[in-house]
Amino acid sequence: MALFNQSLEITERIGNVQGKAMTLWWLGHLAEQQGEYTKAISYLQPALEILQRLQSPDAESVSASLDRVIRNS
């Protein structure tokens, strides 16, 4: 988790929006695996917003992850 947090800081610093979204997605996935659903949502929601804004095909997968987390929370 610490490495993903470092990655998030770096992607924000260098302005890599796509990288930030993907890192948030991974952080959300890890939080979900640990049963921390509120934390997972706090990562997945902004990841989804970024990917939708970028019109990324990954937005569908993040949306599915977010829906699953919301159902389980």
Side-chain angles (χ1 to χ4, degrees), residues 3-18:
L3 291 176
F4 282 113
N5 283 318
Q6 285 180 333
S7 174
L8 185 59
E9 290 176 24
I10 292 168
T11 58
E12 287 177 337
R13 193 171 341 127
I14 64 173
N16 180 349
V17 179
Q18 176 84 23

Side-chain angles (χ1 to χ4, degrees), residues 1-71:
M1 192 84 116
L3 291 176
F4 282 113
N5 283 318
Q6 285 180 333
S7 174
L8 185 59
E9 290 176 24
I10 292 168
T11 58
E12 287 177 337
R13 193 171 341 127
I14 64 173
N16 180 349
V17 179
Q18 176 84 23
K20 177 181 177 179
M22 300 310 284
T23 302
L24 287 167
W25 186 7
W26 274 106
L27 284 165
H29 175 72
L30 291 173
E32 177 189 8
Q33 295 301 309
Q34 295 172 350
E36 297 179 24
Y37 299 115
T38 302
K39 186 182 277 189
I41 292 168
S42 75
Y43 290 126
L44 293 170
Q45 188 64 50
L48 178 59
E49 291 168 6
I50 292 167
L51 293 171
Q52 286 174 333
R53 192 172 62 242
L54 296 175
Q55 299 179 351
S56 170
D58 291 320
E60 282 187 42
S61 296
V62 174
S63 180
S65 294
L66 182 57
D67 289 344
R68 183 182 60 247
V69 169
I70 290 170
R71 278 194 315 271

